């Protein structure tokens, strides 16, 4: 039995595994699926030669995450491709809000709202590393950069209150901000959604929302390559049914949802903690629709053809209405659709002349409905003629997603509702959210702070506790990732 067992091979589990292996520990990873990567897998879902990202598509945190900066994805063979336009938000009148990597160019394109956009994001962009530290912390310690925390907090309160429209005069800028906030699968004026929107919006003007050449699978493959170089192992197709399988391991790190911890622990958890996990709420879900296309999407609005990611919903008011409908347990007639067109920078995703389009929309948790027609209609709304380009499509309903990733309870790709209470207290109200009452058993999934995303930070924070509490190692995990020795 190795020193440490990691259950689940998503980015958090793999980041934890690499850190622990760099500390000189023997580490083995167990993954139930036949391929590793969790939410960062890539597969031929439609036709041979068309490579689709199964969950995560664009990666705002790939250049910004402290984990990936220390690990250096590029040095490990991951080619990160940055579209000129990080994201676009088309409107019905033929215009689109374009978030160029260059903040000045974005400001110039927003007309009367350009100065407001600059005042909102300019200070965050200038201090982006501090903003990342604030947003990606464990939500238990005071941030080191207090001025940046204050800047971020003031903007959070403004956009999460009835004041959210006061700085804007036109439609495009507020729609853009709501489009990125809605990534949180909750109404875009909710504070957790605004926080996500401010972070993602900042990163759009730093390195951009990059796409790994060949697909998101490149990120977990790089982590696995390093783990195996360090002597670690990854076991695929091995579904763990009980923590008893690892009785002699000194630590078990679970990249799993709280529901999986309950299943694996059986009756070993104290009743009070088990009740807290049972009360953990899973939120709105996703229906994932992938398309193989015979050509590029014919967007009406200029500039959309350059964007890696697009938010298709219309105005800020429409985004709010669609998400409120989903939060009420209903399907929106004109849903929010997030689309990624990797072909703008990566020709390897489809055969010559072909293109892939990644999309998902928000639906109620556990939905069994195939909403691909509503998705197609929403894309057609901003790209007339899109339907004629469809060669094949593939659909994962929300109810089907857990079969491919057990962390997506009911199709919740955030591994837990992004509510005001639940964001800081994921998965339970404890000072150490990564530890459990079981000695040596830890959680590192998106159900722990700072929450969902391909950034590995949950794994990083968990390993601080594992190293100190189980092995007496106090070396900073980021230093270990960067190649420093245990001290």
């Amino acid at each position: 039995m190795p020193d440490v067992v990691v259950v689940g091979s998503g980015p958090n589990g793999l980041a934890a595994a690499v850190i622990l292996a760099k500390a000189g520990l023997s580490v083995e990873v167990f993954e139930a699926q036949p391929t590793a990567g969790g939410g960062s897998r890539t597969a031929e879902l439609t036709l041979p030669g068309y490579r689709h990202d199964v969950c995560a598509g664009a990666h705002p945190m790939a250049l910004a995450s402290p984990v990936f900066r220390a690990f250096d994805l590029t040095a490990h063979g991951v080619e990160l491709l940055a579209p000129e336009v990080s994201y676009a938000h088309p409107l019905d009148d033929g215009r689109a809000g374009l978030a160029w990597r260059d903040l000045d160019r974005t400001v110039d394109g927003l007309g009367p709202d350009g100065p407001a956009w600059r005042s909102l994001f300019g200070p965050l962009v200038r201090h982006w590393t501090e903003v990342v530290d604030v947003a990606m912390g464990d939500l238990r310690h005071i941030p080191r950069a207090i001025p940046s925390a204050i800047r971020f907090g003031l903007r959070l309160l403004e956009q999460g209150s009835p004041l959210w429209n006061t700085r804007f005069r036109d439609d495009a800028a507020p729609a853009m901000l709501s489009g990125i906030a809605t990534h949180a699968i909750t109404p875009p004026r909710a504070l957790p959604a605004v926080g996500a929107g401010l972070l993602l919006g900042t990163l759009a003007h730093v390195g951009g929302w990059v796409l790994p050449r060949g697909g998101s699978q490149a990120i977990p493959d790089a982590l696995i390559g390093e783990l195996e170089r360090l002597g670690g192992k990854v076991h695929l197709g091995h579904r763990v049914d009980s923590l008893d399988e690892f009785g002699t391991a000194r630590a078990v790190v679970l990249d799993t949802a709280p529901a999986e911890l309950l299943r694996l622990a059986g009756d070993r958890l104290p009743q009070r903690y088990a009740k807290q996990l049972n009360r953990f709420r899973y939120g709105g879900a996703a229906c994932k629709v992938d398309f193989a296309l015979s050509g590029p999407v014919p967007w009406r609005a200029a500039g959309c053809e350059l964007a890696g990611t697009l938010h298709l919903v219309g105005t800020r008011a429409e985004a709010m209405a669609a998400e409120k409908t989903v939060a009420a347990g209903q399907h929106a007639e004109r849903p929010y659709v997030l689309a990624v067109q990797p072909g703008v920078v990566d020709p390897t995703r489809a055969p010559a002349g072909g293109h892939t389009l990644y999309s998902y929309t928000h639906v109620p948790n556990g939905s069994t409905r195939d909403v691909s027609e509503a998705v197609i209609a929403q894309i057609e709304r901003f790209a007339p003629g899109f339907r004629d380009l469809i060669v094949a499509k593939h659909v994962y309903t929300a109810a089907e997603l857990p079969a491919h990733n057990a962390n997506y309870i009911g199709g919740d790709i955030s591994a837990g509702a992004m509510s005001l209470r639940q964001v800081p207290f994921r998965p339970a109200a404890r000072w150490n959210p990564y530890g459990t009452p079981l000695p040596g058993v830890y959680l590192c999934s998106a159900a722990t702070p700072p929450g969902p995303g391909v950034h590995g930070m949950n794994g990083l924070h968990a390993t601080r506790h594992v190293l100190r509490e189980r092995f007496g190692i106090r070396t900073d995990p980021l230093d270990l990732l960067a190649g420093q020795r245990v001290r």
Side-chain angles (χ1 to χ4, degrees):
M1 189 61 62
D3 295 320
V4 183
V5 166
V6 177
V7 179
S9 66
N12 286 312
L14 291 175
V18 170
I19 291 167
L20 295 166
K22 280 181 172 284
L25 305 173
S26 58
V27 183
E28 296 189 17
V29 179
F30 291 81
E31 169 59 52
Q33 297 297 321
T35 55
S40 297
R41 287 172 291 162
T42 303
E44 293 181 336
L45 298 177
T46 55
L47 297 170
Y50 289 84
R51 293 180 58 78
H52 303 273
D53 291 324
V54 177
C55 183
H59 295 275
M61 291 298 297
L63 295 173
S65 164
V67 166
F68 293 149
R69 279 187 278 148
F71 178 71
D72 194 346
L73 287 170
T74 301
H76 287 83
V78 182
E79 188 176 356
L80 298 172
L81 308 171
E84 290 184 68
V85 177
S86 294
Y87 65 91
H89 195 116
L91 299 170
D92 286 316
D93 60 6
R95 296 179 299 143
L98 303 176
W100 299 87
R101 294 203 315 270
D102 183 345
L103 177 61
D104 290 337
R105 192 170 182 181
T106 304
V107 167
D108 291 343
L110 288 175
D113 281 337
W117 194 265
R118 186 189 302 280
S119 69
L120 182 68
F121 281 109
L124 302 182
V125 170
R126 285 194 295 273
H127 302 279
W128 70 269
T129 57
E130 296 175 355
V131 170
V132 170
D133 288 342
V134 169
M136 291 284 104
D138 65 3
L139 307 183
R140 297 296 187 277
H141 294 85
I142 297 174
R144 290 174 295 179
I146 299 299
S148 288
I150 293 172
R151 290 186 199 100
F152 191 83
L154 290 174
R155 287 158 174 77
L156 180 71
L157 292 175
E158 175 201 302
Q159 289 300 308
S161 77
L163 299 175
W164 72 334
N165 278 321
T166 54
R167 70 166 62 226
F168 299 118
R169 297 163 55 191
D170 201 0
D171 290 339
M176 289 170 66
L177 192 50
S178 290
I180 47 177
T182 305
H183 281 232
I185 319 184
T186 193
R189 207 175 80 184
L191 288 177
V194 174
L198 290 172
L199 174 63
L200 298 178
T202 298
L203 298 179
H205 304 306
V206 180
W209 293 8
V210 297
L211 299 153
R213 183 180 293 277
S216 297
Q217 187 74 52
I219 294 175
D221 285 352
L223 291 165
I224 291 170
E226 180 66 3
L227 175 64
E228 292 179 338
R229 186 188 71 80
L230 295 165
K233 298 179 181 178
V234 178
H235 303 274
L236 300 176
H238 184 123
R239 184 177 187 268
V240 177
D241 288 315
S242 172
L243 293 177
D244 293 337
E245 293 184 34
F246 313 119
T248 60
R250 295 176 66 184
V252 177
V253 182
L254 303 175
D255 185 4
T256 68
E260 280 292 282
L261 170 56
L262 286 165
R263 182 182 70 84
L264 295 174
D267 59 1
R268 295 169 60 184
L269 289 172
Q271 188 175 27
R272 181 179 178 184
Y273 184 73
K275 284 183 177 179
Q276 287 183 294
L277 296 188
N278 276 311
R279 286 197 298 266
F280 187 78
R281 188 166 63 86
Y282 297 94
C287 178
K288 179 76 161 43
V289 187
D290 288 284
F291 299 96
L293 305 176
S294 61
V297 179
W299 302 108
R300 181 191 296 118
C304 288
E305 74 281 0
L306 303 175
T309 303
L310 299 101
H311 304 131
L312 311 175
V313 69
T315 64
R316 164 170 271 186
E318 289 179 280
M320 177 66 85
E323 292 306 292
K324 281 187 173 180
T325 299
V326 173
Q330 301 173 4
H331 293 81
E333 184 178 347
R334 297 181 98 183
Y336 169 89
V337 174
L338 186 148
V340 179
Q341 45 185 15
V344 298
V345 288
D346 185 4
T348 70
R349 302 292 187 96
H355 287 262
T356 62
L357 186 72
Y358 159 120
S359 77
Y360 69 73
T361 189
H362 299 160
V363 295
N365 193 282
S367 169
T368 60
R369 185 181 300 184
D370 176 350
V371 297
S372 58
E373 281 304 312
V375 169
I376 292 171
Q378 198 73 316
I379 299 173
E380 277 268 340
R381 174 183 171 187
F382 303 106
F386 167 76
R387 187 185 297 270
D388 297 334
L389 299 174
I390 300 173
V391 179
K393 71 176 181 181
H394 178 275
V395 179
Y396 279 132
T397 67
E400 292 170 333
L401 284 175
H404 303 278
N405 190 324
N407 287 359
Y408 298 161
I409 307 297
D412 176 4
I413 59 176
S414 298
M418 297 293 287
S419 65
L420 184 58
R421 179 191 179 281
Q422 198 160 268
V423 166
F425 298 120
R426 302 166 75 89
R430 294 165 59 89
W431 176 251
N432 174 7
Y434 312 99
T436 76
L438 301 179
V441 178
Y442 298 82
L443 277 172
C444 75
S445 70
T448 62
V454 180
H455 44 65
M457 292 299 292
N458 315 64
L460 174 86
H461 294 313
T463 56
R464 284 199 171 99
H465 295 276
V466 176
L467 289 169
R468 183 174 64 249
E469 296 165 9
R470 303 301 293 178
F471 300 97
I473 297 173
R474 295 186 175 274
T475 309
D476 191 318
L478 285 177
D479 291 341
L480 293 173
L481 271 178
Q484 295 188 27
R485 295 180 179 276
V486 174
R487 61 181 189 277

